[in-house]
Amino acid sequence: MDKEKASGILVFAEERKGDVHNVAYELLNKAQELKEDLDCEVASAVLSSQKLDYSELIYRGADKVYCIEDEKFASPEENYYKKNLLKITNAFNPEILLLGATGFGRSLAPRLAIALETGLTADCVDLQIDEESNKLIQIRPAFSGNILAHIKTEGLPQMATIRYKEFTEAPRDTSRSGEIIKLEPTEGEIEVGIEKIEERAKDITEAKIIIAGGQGLKQPQDLDILQDLADKLGGMVGASRDIVDEGYISHAHQVGYSGARVKPKIYIACGISGATQHIVGMKEADIIIAINKDPSAPIFNVADYGIVGDLYEVVPDLIAKIEDCM
Amino acid sequence: MLDIIVLVKQVPDVKKVKFDRERGVIDRKSAPNELNPFDLNALEAAVQIKEELGEDAAKITALSMGPDMAEDSLKEALARGADEAILLSAREFAGSDTWATSLVLSTAIKKLADYDLILAGEKTVDGDTGQVGPQIAEFLDIFHAAYVSEIKKLDNDNHNIQVISELWQSSFLKTLDFPCLLTVTKEINDPRLPSIKDKVQARKAEITKWDYSALSDYIAAEEIGIKGSPTRIKNIEVAPAIEREGEVWRDGYEKANEKICELLQEKQLLGGE
Ligand SMILES: Cc1cc2nc3c(=O)[nH]c(=O)nc-3n(C[C@H](O)[C@H](O)[C@H](O)COP(=O)(O)OP(=O)(O)OC[C@H]3O[C@@H](n4cnc5c(N)ncnc54)[C@H](O)[C@@H]3O)c2cc1C
Ligand SMILES: Nc1ncnc2c1ncn2[C@@H]1O[C@H](COP(=O)(O)O)[C@@H](O)[C@H]1O
């Protein structure tokens, strides 16, 4: 990179089986806003294992799309991704480089940052341009989300990973035009053996409704009650760590600090006490409903609607009432 | 001999710690310290590998950068099965961001020279970035696997390890040659508690301490600590509280459930998918 001449915002668009992860469209939207202060170009970088319609990224706000096509990108190997992204970074020479804080993004970005000899701010929830210095202010929660730290990077590019669902997706404007630039993949093989052995159909971070269960459930089969409610509403079942640890349900369903951070329209917590580590994962849901026997359970402090009661009575009644409404 | 390095950090107990709003840092004196809970899983994974290979076939070194009092956490690491513990402690290291932290740690690892496998936690509860692991891998120019939920097989003859890495809503079986670095999730194991005997023994054990002079041949003082950190906290703000309705039904759920149905209807969420 030629850091002296660095300019523009580069957004990494993570491809998954022919689609771009939505967080890229959110970042492109934010980039439009930052671009107004900086008067610069917005570009998107895609490493794709198959042909994509790159114009989609232009419709969503990219002035340039840099793409490298290579079957090897079907395997999430950070070092190989890093080498190829370096190629794009060198070609575009950005002053700001943004990646979604997906699991893969959080594993890839640190390697890239060291290779680019720059700092990296993890898990940002907002970005601003400092009026005086024109530098990027990266805002990230700290201390269990009670505090927001404003961070600046000395040196270039200013790099950050940004959480999913913090910004709205860029609107699709098919009248926009831009340039698509294809680069060749770097040479060499992936030196890590990689084989996919399991794929989960649904991603809990995408669910609009989550019915979550905790230790209030007496046995694994009782999750069926929650699944039943989730099915009625087209939602997914979530879980506290304690019941994941006990093998009630897989880790993919765990909500919280060491699980997924979710932002559904409705989150119904059933038999969950509301430990800080659980709350950090769901406190940004639009509406939170809590069902718990214990009136002093901390989950009620973050709930819009709380029901003090036995989930084994409350949930079946709720299901019956919903059926009546449908 | 398989040389395993486990990266451990002493962190404040986040349930109790207070925040120094003026200075924008955690007030470390306000809460007791503990070994980062995610690093316990990394350590346990190392201990399990050693148990499988045999007492003399592997050596576990716990490595930490932190203030002098982090010795306590390293003693805990010894009690939990580490064979040796090294603390990197110096004024020059203070205030490091993840860049500077991983530079210091990777330099110490280079100095140790013998390493096959490096294990790190998924993240720390205070820094909470999960960056230090992969950044060390990049500084060392070795491969890493992140979000490792299981170690499938360690092949000492062929010098490689097979792990499950959770990425892209999928489980990938990755085979990495040594030396390599793994960041492990809490799913990988249930860390055992150390026995009283091991605790007592560890309390008396010596922790190797390296100050800046141990690394000064490799890194300049300007590259590390506050000076060497490219990211700077400019200020902090108290996160705005999310407004909640806070309506609670204490006796009887019928009314409450009716309300929820109304709400679902209002938000047009009753159609299913
Ligand atoms: C490093 C670290 C990371 C962690 N990460 C996570 C994480 O990602 N996600 C997470 O969830 N936790 C996490 N935890 C664990 C967390 O601290 C709590 O232990 C956990 O969230 C508690 O789960 P719970 O609410 O299901 O169980 P409990 O705290 O035991 O609560 C059960 C609740 O059910 C209620 N109840 C019982 N019976 C009924 C009934 N019949 N009807 C209605 N209510 C009933 C009880 O009143 C109680 O409030 C983490 C902890 C650590 C240290
Ligand atoms: N100061 C440190 N000393 C030793 N290991 C560390 C230190 N900081 C971070 N690590 C390791 O890197 C992992 C990720 O930390 P972080 O990037 O701070 O979330 C931790 O779980 C540790 O294994």
Side-chain angles (χ1 to χ4, degrees):
Chain A
M1 251 191 89
D2 182 358
K3 295 194 179 188
E4 303 266 304
K5 297 206 185 88
S7 101
I9 305 168
L10 183 63
V11 171
F12 173 55
E14 200 177 319
E15 181 245 358
R16 303 250 184 107
K17 296 199 293 184
D19 278 319
V20 158
H21 192 290
N22 279 337
V23 70
Y25 298 141
E26 298 172 357
L27 294 182
L28 282 171
N29 206 16
K30 190 67 189 183
Q32 290 304 312
E33 207 181 299
L34 303 176
K35 175 182 168 171
E36 277 173 29
D37 290 322
L38 293 175
D39 191 20
C40 67
E41 276 186 327
V42 172
S44 189
V46 209
L47 305 180
S48 58
S49 60
Q50 49 190 282
K51 276 218 167 359
L52 289 188
D53 180 12
Y54 302 108
S55 355
E56 184 65 25
L57 289 157
I58 294 173
Y59 301 156
R60 305 294 192 129
D63 302 308
K64 282 181 177 159
V65 179
Y66 288 87
C67 51
I68 303 180
E69 282 171 6
D70 185 348
E71 281 171 4
K72 294 189 203 112
F73 297 134
S75 299
E77 203 290 297
E78 292 84 348
N79 202 44
Y80 191 70
Y81 263 77
K82 173 210 76 189
K83 283 191 200 159
N84 281 281
L85 266 184
L86 275 178
K87 260 193 143 174
I88 295 181
T89 313
N90 288 335
F92 181 65
N93 218 24
E95 61 189 304
I96 294 176
L97 174 49
L98 307 175
L99 295 90
T102 60
F104 188 59
R106 293 188 54 158
S107 177
L108 165 67
R111 288 202 85 112
L112 188 59
I114 298 302
L116 287 166
E117 298 185 11
T118 193
L120 174 64
T121 306
D123 259 334
C124 296
V125 294
D126 202 3
L127 301 167
Q128 293 165 1
I129 300 294
D130 181 35
E131 275 177 32
E132 272 168 46
S133 61
N134 261 355
K135 284 281 183 190
L136 183 70
I137 303 174
Q138 304 140 44
I139 302 176
R140 78 174 298 240
F143 194 41
S144 299
N146 291 321
I147 266 153
L148 294 172
H150 290 223
I151 293 170
K152 274 198 201 168
T153 308
E154 311 276 330
L156 292 165
Q158 305 162 85
M159 216 179 138
T161 61
I162 291 96
R163 281 195 193 153
Y164 185 28
K165 293 194 179 172
E166 293 300 336
F167 312 128
T168 47
E169 257 180 48
R172 188 164 191 267
D173 177 358
T174 50
S175 68
R176 280 189 54 100
S177 59
E179 194 183 347
I180 295 169
I181 302 148
K182 272 205 183 157
L183 303 178
E184 286 302 310
T186 58
E187 283 177 18
E189 292 302 311
I190 294 183
E191 288 168 63
V192 171
I194 303 184
E195 185 190 332
K196 190 194 281 182
I197 53 172
E198 195 199 327
E199 183 169 342
R200 287 168 281 278
K202 283 192 187 160
D203 179 351
I204 195 151
T205 63
E206 303 283 359
K208 290 200 175 62
I209 297 179
I210 294 174
I211 318 295
Q215 290 275 49
L217 292 167
K218 296 189 185 80
Q219 48 188 1
Q221 304 85 285
D222 298 350
L223 265 174
D224 291 350
I225 310 171
L226 306 190
Q227 186 67 56
D228 196 13
L229 178 55
D231 289 344
K232 291 259 151 17
L233 298 170
M236 271 182 84
V237 168
S240 74
R241 188 179 109 195
D242 292 36
I243 67 163
V244 170
D245 282 355
E246 280 169 34
Y248 281 36
I249 192 166
S250 77
H251 182 260
H253 296 264
Q254 182 177 319
V255 172
Y257 191 55
S258 47
R261 285 175 203 270
V262 297
K263 267 190 160 184
K265 291 199 186 312
I266 298 196
Y267 190 91
I268 308 186
C270 309
I272 290 177
S273 62
T276 327
Q277 293 93 348
H278 187 79
I279 289 178
V280 292
M282 45 66 85
K283 65 167 189 238
E284 289 179 73
D286 290 354
I287 295 172
I288 296 171
I289 299 169
I291 302 168
N292 196 304
K293 275 208 288 211
D294 175 7
S296 63
I299 191 79
F300 289 123
N301 300 335
V302 297
D304 293 285
Y305 304 104
I307 304 173
V308 180
D310 186 337
L311 75 94
Y312 288 92
E313 294 169 22
V314 182
V315 178
D317 179 69
L318 181 58
I319 294 174
K321 286 201 165 61
I322 286 171
E323 280 170 348
D324 287 346
C325 295
M326 278 175 144
Chain B
M1 170 77 88
L2 185 79
D3 283 293
I4 308 176
I5 295 174
V6 184
L7 300 168
V8 298
K9 188 184 180 194
Q10 186 179 58
V11 295
D13 181 340
V14 281
K15 286 193 282 299
K16 300 190 185 119
V17 75
K18 302 223 163 50
F19 203 83
D20 181 339
R21 297 194 175 187
E22 306 265 286
R23 287 165 56 227
V25 293
I26 286 170
D27 173 11
R28 290 187 190 273
K29 289 191 199 73
S30 66
N33 292 307
E34 58 181 19
L35 215 157
N36 179 35
F38 290 92
D39 299 348
L40 294 179
N41 297 88
L43 188 56
E44 176 70 26
V47 172
Q48 288 183 12
I49 289 172
K50 180 167 168 160
E51 280 170 351
E52 208 180 298
L53 292 178
E55 182 61 29
D56 300 323
K59 179 182 165 201
I60 302 172
T61 305
L63 177 64
S64 187
M65 181 185 96
D68 285 341
M69 65 183 173
E71 265 198 33
D72 293 345
S73 289
L74 283 171
K75 288 194 170 163
E76 187 175 347
L78 290 173
R80 287 172 179 266
D83 299 300
E84 208 188 309
I86 303 174
L87 176 63
L88 310 173
S89 181
R91 209 171 1 98
E92 288 86 347
F93 304 153
S96 292
D97 71 353
T98 67
W99 159 281
T101 301
S102 35
L103 178 58
V104 171
L105 288 167
S106 59
T107 306
I109 293 171
K110 279 183 195 162
K111 190 178 155 108
L112 284 170
D114 292 328
Y115 61 92
D116 299 296
L117 185 60
I118 305 170
L119 295 168
E122 177 187 328
K123 58 185 160 196
T124 52
V125 295
D126 57 348
D128 195 11
T129 75
Q131 287 174 184
V132 169
Q135 288 187 326
I136 288 174
E138 183 65 22
F139 270 123
L140 294 173
D141 196 16
I142 60 175
F143 290 100
H144 85 276
Y147 302 101
V148 170
S149 61
E150 195 183 337
I151 293 177
K152 277 277 183 204
K153 195 171 131 203
L154 189 141
D155 187 340
N156 219 356
D157 298 331
N158 290 310
H159 232 60
N160 68 28
I161 189 164
Q162 275 193 346
V163 301
I164 303 289
S165 169
E166 306 289 345
L167 293 166
W168 289 350
Q169 281 296 112
S170 305
S171 303
F172 289 90
L173 180 69
K174 292 194 176 184
T175 310
L176 294 92
D177 287 339
F178 297 145
C180 64
L181 184 146
L182 309 175
T183 71
V184 306
T185 69
K186 288 208 77 63
E187 259 188 295
I188 193 166
N189 53 39
D190 285 317
R192 281 165 284 186
L193 286 171
S195 70
I196 306 281
K197 186 174 135 259
D198 290 338
K199 269 189 165 168
V200 171
Q201 233 174 11
R203 219 169 285 150
K204 286 180 274 177
E206 275 295 308
I207 306 285
T208 309
K209 270 212 222 169
W210 287 359
D211 62 9
Y212 172 61
S213 66
L215 304 180
S216 57
D217 284 349
Y218 310 86
I219 34 177
E222 297 80 53
E223 291 180 272
I224 54 177
I226 286 205
K227 271 185 265 163
S229 295
T231 60
R232 304 277 160 92
I233 298 177
K234 289 296 164 188
N235 61 288
I236 54 158
E237 62 177 299
V238 178
I242 302 168
E243 290 286 320
R244 295 284 173 194
E245 297 281 337
E247 207 173 333
V248 180
W249 287 270
R250 284 170 202 281
D251 9 62
Y253 47 81
E254 300 253 350
K255 284 260 154 19
N257 281 344
E258 279 164 25
K259 171 88 194 183
I260 295 171
C261 283
E262 274 171 39
L263 192 79
L264 290 167
Q265 249 162 350
E266 204 180 291
K267 307 255 162 205
Q268 296 183 319
L269 291 169
L270 276 184
E273 287 281 279

